[in-house]
Amino acid sequence: MKKFFLLGLIFLLCGCRTIEEETVDNVMDSKYSLAKNSMLGYVKSVELAYTEYQYDSLVGNYEVRDNSTLVNIDGALVQLNVHSYGDEVNCADVRIIGGSIKLDDCSVNGYNFSYDNQVIDK
């Protein structure tokens, strides 16, 4: 009887540990996915800010707001009013070359990415 109880206890402990490890893996996968999605959201925010900059520059209404982002647009440094993800995504270099966004050395919730037409793990 003691042997069966001991085997059952060992089985339960091993099974619980496996569930715990799977839970940790799932949480880490979720955090990574959220960070990657935040990166994609930031790219879309930069695209929108660039579009607004182009339009407002044509009509002469472009104003730089607080917390704007310095962006290299085809070699010229321009302050773009990126509206979201500013606190969550921090990039060392934001460039727009021929309308294509390139981000280097971005940190998002402890993960590091770059962007060149797709999110690239660092």
Side-chain angles (χ1 to χ4, degrees):
M1 179 80 168
K2 288 182 183 180
K3 290 180 184 178
F4 291 117
F5 178 73
L6 190 57
L7 286 174
L9 183 61
I10 291 172
F11 178 75
L12 281 175
L13 289 176
C14 291
C16 290
R17 189 157 200 276
T18 302
I19 291 171
E20 180 182 327
E21 289 172 353
E22 287 178 16
T23 302
V24 169
D25 289 343
N26 288 341
V27 168
M28 295 307 290
D29 288 345
S30 295
K31 285 183 177 182
Y32 171 79
S33 295
L34 287 171
K36 195 169 183 177
N37 285 341
S38 292
M39 184 72 179
L40 288 171
Y42 183 71
V43 169
K44 295 297 181 191
S45 295
V46 172
E47 287 176 345
L48 178 61
Y50 179 56
T51 302
E52 290 175 350
Y53 165 76
Q54 288 177 313
Y55 175 77
D56 288 343
S57 293
L58 287 174
V59 297
N61 291 334
Y62 190 73
E63 293 180 24
V64 176
R65 298 189 191 117
D66 292 339
N67 299 324
S68 61
T69 302
L70 186 63
V71 178
N72 181 333
I73 301 175
D74 294 324
L77 296 178
V78 176
Q79 293 289 133
L80 290 184
N81 300 318
V82 179
H83 299 294
S84 60
Y85 297 97
D87 295 335
E88 196 172 326
V89 179
N90 297 308
C91 296
D93 188 34
V94 180
R95 294 173 286 139
I96 300 175
I97 301 169
S100 179
I101 296 176
K102 298 184 186 325
L103 306 173
D104 291 321
D105 299 324
C106 297
S107 174
V108 186
N109 297 331
Y111 295 96
N112 296 314
F113 300 106
S114 287
Y115 182 84
D116 188 0
N117 294 323
Q118 66 181 357
V119 176
I120 303 164
D121 291 340
K122 287 288 181 166

